[in-house]
Amino acid sequence: MLSAADILNILQVGRPVSIIRAGDGEQIVLNSGNGLGEYRTCIDNVMKRQMGYEPTMGDVDNIRNNLKTAYMGADIVGLPAQKNLDNLGKHWQSVEATVKQYCSTNKFTSTDVAYDMLYNGMLDQWLTGKKTIVYIGCRDIDEGLRSRYGTKTVNSFIIAPEAKFTSGYEGERHYPEMFNKMEWWLNAAKCEGNPCLVGAGVIGKIYCNWMRDRGGVAFDIGAVMDLWAGFSTRGPNRGLDVKDETYKL
């Protein structure tokens, strides 16, 4: 299993890469075609939480298939840390078994690697001095990235926020409206050779592959973007509009 230091080395080389993580939400979506019970669990525990509404069955099928494609095409996949699986219980142990069957790569890291790199300063080490950064996420962190890293050009696509943790949003839905625009936007986003960051839930895992295919150094950092924006959406203190400025840019 690749360490955080290994991931940093890969990112610093600057070659096209897609690093995607997996957790129990992704497992639930991948299993949603197994039966009615699994489908309802996906709707109630993932789709409504992330999207704020119940998508059509056809949309769920498409999201599941895109997620499978994302893992099949990823260069590195983050899984619940193998050394801790015995202590995590059957719930987390099964995530690895579910996701791995769709992976074509033999390179894996911890699903928490982006957090580890936030806490130990490796994300700062990678991004400092980068002239261009591309990101897809639900928080506008353009100015924070410019200020922290001295970045001149920030190309961002701000998606609809995770419904469970953000109130008052009125606008286009992430899926299908924003999703269907993403590849066109990426064509002009200057991915090639640049850091490309993604925090876009289960729907957006495939964005890392699309960025990589355009020459980008793509890393699914998930809710690290929320922390950069000063919000807590993971861990025991998470909640609707809960602020945590510990790691704010």
Side-chain angles (χ1 to χ4, degrees):
M1 180 171 273
L2 297 172
S3 68
D6 294 327
I7 297 299
L8 176 61
N9 288 336
I10 291 167
L11 295 171
Q12 287 181 319
V13 168
R15 295 191 186 119
V17 69
S18 173
I19 304 171
I20 304 176
R21 300 169 307 105
D24 55 348
E26 286 73 30
Q27 179 195 31
I28 289 170
V29 173
L30 290 171
N31 287 336
S32 63
N34 295 350
L36 182 59
E38 290 88 346
Y39 179 81
R40 288 310 315 174
T41 297
C42 174
I43 293 296
D44 294 336
N45 293 4
V46 180
M47 296 301 171
K48 287 182 178 178
R49 165 179 163 153
Q50 293 198 4
M51 303 168 74
Y53 65 94
E54 181 171 339
T56 67
M57 185 174 289
D59 281 349
V60 175
D61 287 343
N62 289 334
I63 291 168
R64 181 176 63 251
N65 290 332
N66 285 331
L67 188 58
K68 291 178 182 178
T69 300
Y71 288 123
M72 289 176 186
D75 299 298
I76 300 169
V77 174
L79 298 170
Q82 292 176 344
K83 65 181 181 180
N84 296 325
L85 280 182
D86 291 341
N87 300 323
L88 290 175
K90 292 182 180 179
H91 173 76
W92 286 103
Q93 292 176 31
S94 63
V95 172
E96 177 173 5
T98 299
V99 174
K100 262 192 170 180
Q101 65 182 306
Y102 299 107
C103 298
S104 60
T105 184
N106 61 1
K107 295 180 180 179
F108 298 96
T109 188
S110 168
T111 194
D112 295 320
V113 68
Y115 295 103
D116 295 339
M117 295 176 71
L118 172 68
Y119 303 148
N120 66 22
M122 287 183 178
L123 283 180
D124 286 348
Q125 190 176 343
W126 174 40
L127 295 172
T128 295
K130 292 293 187 291
K131 294 181 180 180
T132 299
I133 294 176
V134 180
Y135 76 89
I136 301 168
C138 67
R139 311 288 184 183
D140 185 343
I141 54 174
D142 287 27
E143 290 306 316
L145 292 172
R146 291 189 183 100
S147 176
R148 172 72 67 88
Y149 301 121
T151 302
K152 293 183 178 180
T153 302
V154 177
N155 294 328
S156 59
F157 193 117
I158 310 301
I159 60 170
E162 194 170 6
K164 183 175 181 178
F165 299 113
T166 306
S167 63
Y169 175 77
E170 295 182 5
E172 281 190 324
R173 299 176 297 180
H174 184 184
Y175 193 94
E177 288 89 345
M178 292 181 172
F179 181 90
N180 289 337
K181 298 176 182 177
M182 198 62 68
E183 286 200 87
W184 289 101
W185 178 79
L186 286 171
N187 286 338
K190 299 181 180 178
C191 294
E192 186 171 0
N194 293 316
C196 296
L197 310 173
V198 175
V202 296
I203 294 169
K205 298 298 178 183
I206 200 168
Y207 298 159
C208 282
N209 292 359
W210 293 351
M211 290 166 152
R212 183 268 321 277
D213 294 345
R214 289 161 174 80
V217 186
F219 190 11
D220 165 30
I221 64 171
V224 166
M225 285 196 189
D226 294 321
L227 291 173
W228 273 347
F231 292 92
S232 177
T233 61
R234 300 295 184 271
N237 297 320
R238 70 186 184 274
L240 182 67
D241 298 324
V242 171
K243 292 188 176 182
D244 178 352
E245 298 191 352
T246 306
Y247 296 98
K248 187 175 180 180
L249 291 173

